[in-house]
């Protein structure tokens, strides 16, 4: 279900589970594809954050050197 993109709370209701913990324990397995996709998202986020930080840092250095 996780690989199919079904949200956990929806899977819980479809399967008539009383708790989302039960659904999570039984139906969410870390597939290689899910692990790879999550890793790529984290890497992309970290790369973009680093670029933004470097851009801000270089702007403040340029600004400081002009004064």
């Amino acid at each position: 279900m996780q690989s199919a993109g079904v949200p956990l709370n929806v899977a819980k209701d479809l399967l008539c589970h009383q708790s989302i913990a039960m659904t999570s324990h039984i139906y969410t397995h870390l597939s290689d594809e899910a692990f790879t996709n999550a890793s790529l998202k984290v890497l992309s986020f970290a790369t973009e954050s680093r670029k933004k930080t470097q851009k801000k840092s270089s702007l403040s250095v340029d600004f400081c050197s002009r004064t």
Side-chain angles (χ1 to χ4, degrees), residues 14-64:
L14 290 172
L15 298 168
C16 302
H17 290 160
Q18 290 185 0
S19 75
I20 204 160
M22 175 187 276
T23 309
S24 175
H25 178 71
I26 296 172
Y27 292 97
T28 58
H29 305 286
L30 186 59
S31 67
D32 290 340
E33 182 181 0
F35 183 82
T36 300
N37 288 340
S39 298
L40 291 172
K41 286 179 183 179
V42 170
L43 181 60
S44 175
F45 176 78
T47 302
E48 289 302 314
S49 293
R50 189 175 305 127
K51 285 180 184 177
K52 289 177 183 176
T53 301
Q54 288 173 345
K55 186 181 281 187
K56 287 180 183 177
S57 176
S58 100
L59 288 175
S60 63
V61 169
D62 289 343
F63 178 75
C64 293

